[in-house]
Amino acid sequence: MKAAQVLLQAVSKAKSLALFYSTRPDPHFLPQGEAITSPWQGEARVRVDRLMKLLVAITVLTVGILSVVPGIRATEASKVDTNSNSVDEPLTLDIRAAAGLPFQTAENLTLGATESSAEASEADKLAKELANPIASLISVPFQANEDWGYGPTGNGYKFTLNIQPVIPISISKDWNLILRTIFPIVSQHDLFYFANLPKNSPLQPQNRSQDGLSDTTQSFFLSPKKPGPFGLIWGLGPAFLYPTGTHPLLDTGTFSIGPTFVVLKQAGPWTIGALMNQLWSVVISEDRSSVSQMFVQPFISYTTGTHTTFTIDTESTANWNASGIDGKWTVPVIFQISQILKVGKQPISIQIGGKYYADTPRYGPNWGVRFNFTLLYPTGRHPEPVERTGLVK
């Protein structure tokens, strides 16, 4: 009875909020100079509306991905039975287990001490592969970022959902080609808003919010399957910036090309390395500026025995075409914690993190947070041939 009363109260409150929203004007359409008297108007209401829309969009997108995921199959490491016969077991996705997760026992959601030794070994391997940007591991991360402190007022904020699948392709006995794509969906508010402008200002009316797609980045890394000298893992290739933005304030309006390179070393629980690329515009839309931009990401991570990974990195960007007054560098220092889990037979990674911007251009952000949900699909690993001795019946 108590649970039913709580549920009825929640539904009643939701209906009241919906009625309130439907009868109040949007603050963007208030006449110039009109005071905002309700706490549910102004920035607070814009933020709530925006977050609700984004939550719905993320939910729909996740359900869509999960609905097509059963078509993707991967194979776990092969097991050898007592008669030394190798048995390959396909890794299939148990969508029923995922959908019924809140009502199922801990055997469907495993981590740390609840795992068997084989599961723990596989999870440890996944955690280390996930720390390697060019590992032979298919992954589909959904990385949500929220950053604050933008704009002339310092009250602007930006939400970015990066869908960034990583697909390794074996092209020979010794080489892999790794495709890394970043497909950003952006919602931002007051990044270009100037407060208290007169009505006759050429900047009026101001477009305070922009929502849509941004430019897509795709990198191709040619990488040896085995580490090189000193245990170094490396990859290099071209990077492309595609003009997929749906709003002039969300894209560069250019098609850009440049080199990309990654190098790292994994020793025990540690992973240390760096990834970088440099892009130059080769095709520029009318009334848009050329692009010369470098991305540098040094990183260091430590993975514990419970498959928890602690990472510190910086995803720095240099805009070489910017003036010295505006500032060329954006330098976020990011601390992240991730955990390998299993839903049914599906391995996943959950990550949270915080960002502090050590350097930004004028009107850049100050702080940020990150949440990352990653679907993992280990590639097939075939067993070594078993050497038999003695007579075989």
Side-chain angles (χ1 to χ4, degrees):
M1 290 296 293
K2 185 175 181 181
Q5 291 177 354
V6 172
L7 179 61
L8 289 175
Q9 290 175 358
V11 171
S12 177
K13 186 174 181 180
K15 289 182 178 180
S16 299
L17 287 175
L19 180 61
F20 180 82
Y21 276 135
S22 64
T23 57
R24 302 297 293 178
D26 192 291
H28 291 176
F29 299 101
L30 290 175
Q32 184 75 18
E34 180 174 328
I36 298 176
T37 58
S38 170
W40 284 100
Q41 290 185 296
E43 182 180 347
R45 168 155 177 209
V46 171
R47 180 178 289 273
V48 171
D49 286 342
R50 178 168 157 274
L51 288 177
M52 290 297 293
K53 292 177 182 177
L54 291 172
L55 285 174
V56 172
I58 293 172
T59 301
V60 171
L61 184 61
T62 302
V63 171
I65 291 293
L66 292 177
S67 67
V68 300
V69 153
I72 304 176
R73 299 174 65 89
T75 57
E76 294 179 332
S78 300
K79 301 178 181 179
V80 180
D81 63 14
T82 56
N83 295 321
S84 299
N85 296 321
S86 62
V87 179
D88 290 336
E89 295 186 357
L91 174 61
T92 58
L93 304 184
D94 191 348
I95 299 301
R96 290 173 297 176
L101 178 62
F103 308 100
Q104 295 192 7
T105 60
E107 64 183 4
N108 292 315
L109 179 62
T110 61
L111 88 104
T114 63
E115 299 173 311
S116 67
S117 59
E119 289 174 332
S121 176
E122 181 68 13
D124 185 61
K125 184 179 296 184
L126 285 174
K128 291 181 179 179
E129 287 182 332
L130 198 58
N132 176 3
I134 52 174
S136 183
L137 171 69
I138 299 174
S139 62
V140 186
F142 297 84
Q143 184 193 89
N145 298 270
E146 180 84 13
D147 299 289
W148 301 282
Y150 279 101
T153 65
N155 295 323
Y157 49 88
K158 180 178 182 179
F159 176 88
T160 306
L161 175 64
N162 289 321
I163 304 172
Q164 39 191 27
V166 180
I167 303 175
I169 301 173
S170 178
I171 59 175
S172 73
K173 179 182 177 181
D174 300 317
W175 294 89
N176 281 332
L177 180 66
I178 293 91
L179 278 66
R180 293 177 59 88
T181 306
I182 302 177
F183 185 73
I185 303 172
V186 179
S187 179
Q188 59 190 30
H189 182 71
D190 280 358
L191 267 66
F192 309 98
Y193 172 68
F194 290 85
N196 302 319
L197 282 180
K199 292 182 179 181
N200 59 354
S201 170
L203 296 178
Q204 295 284 16
Q206 299 190 71
N207 183 357
R208 298 183 63 176
S209 296
Q210 300 85 38
D211 306 276
L213 307 180
S214 188
D215 290 339
T216 298
T217 304
Q218 190 169 55
S219 303
F220 297 80
F221 292 96
L222 184 65
S223 176
K225 293 183 177 180
K226 296 182 179 180
F230 309 105
L232 293 179
I233 301 169
W234 60 273
L236 59 83
F240 301 91
L241 182 71
Y242 306 116
T244 56
T246 57
H247 192 284
L249 296 179
L250 298 177
D251 69 354
T252 62
T254 71
F255 172 63
S256 303
I257 301 176
T260 185
F261 179 77
V262 62
V263 60
L264 64 127
K265 181 176 176 62
Q266 292 186 307
W270 293 94
T271 299
I272 302 174
L275 183 152
M276 68 166 295
N277 64 51
Q278 168 67 44
L279 295 169
W280 295 279
S281 55
V282 293
V283 179
I284 307 173
S285 300
E286 187 178 358
D287 300 327
R288 304 304 295 270
S289 300
S290 63
V291 167
S292 177
Q293 178 176 288
M294 183 174 71
F295 174 82
V296 181
Q297 183 186 7
F299 53 87
I300 178 170
S301 65
Y302 179 86
T303 302
T304 69
T306 57
H307 331 307
T308 303
T309 301
F310 300 87
T311 304
I312 297 179
D313 69 349
T314 172
E315 300 171 2
S316 302
T317 302
N319 180 6
W320 302 121
N321 290 342
S323 65
I325 297 176
D326 291 332
K328 298 179 180 292
W329 284 92
T330 302
V331 185
V333 179
I334 309 172
F335 176 73
Q336 302 167 95
I337 303 174
S338 62
Q339 177 67 53
I340 297 292
L341 304 171
K342 225 173 187 183
V343 179
K345 293 184 179 180
Q346 173 63 52
I348 64 172
S349 172
I350 302 294
Q351 182 186 71
I352 58 173
K355 295 187 273 187
Y356 168 71
Y357 284 84
D359 190 17
T360 64
R362 184 168 56 169
Y363 305 144
N366 298 321
W367 299 90
V369 294
R370 170 176 292 175
F371 174 78
N372 199 359
F373 171 80
T374 305
L375 298 169
L376 305 174
Y377 303 99
T379 56
R381 301 181 180 89
H382 298 287
E384 297 294 333
V386 179
E387 182 179 352
R388 301 184 182 184
T389 58
L391 298 176
V392 178
K393 295 183 180 180

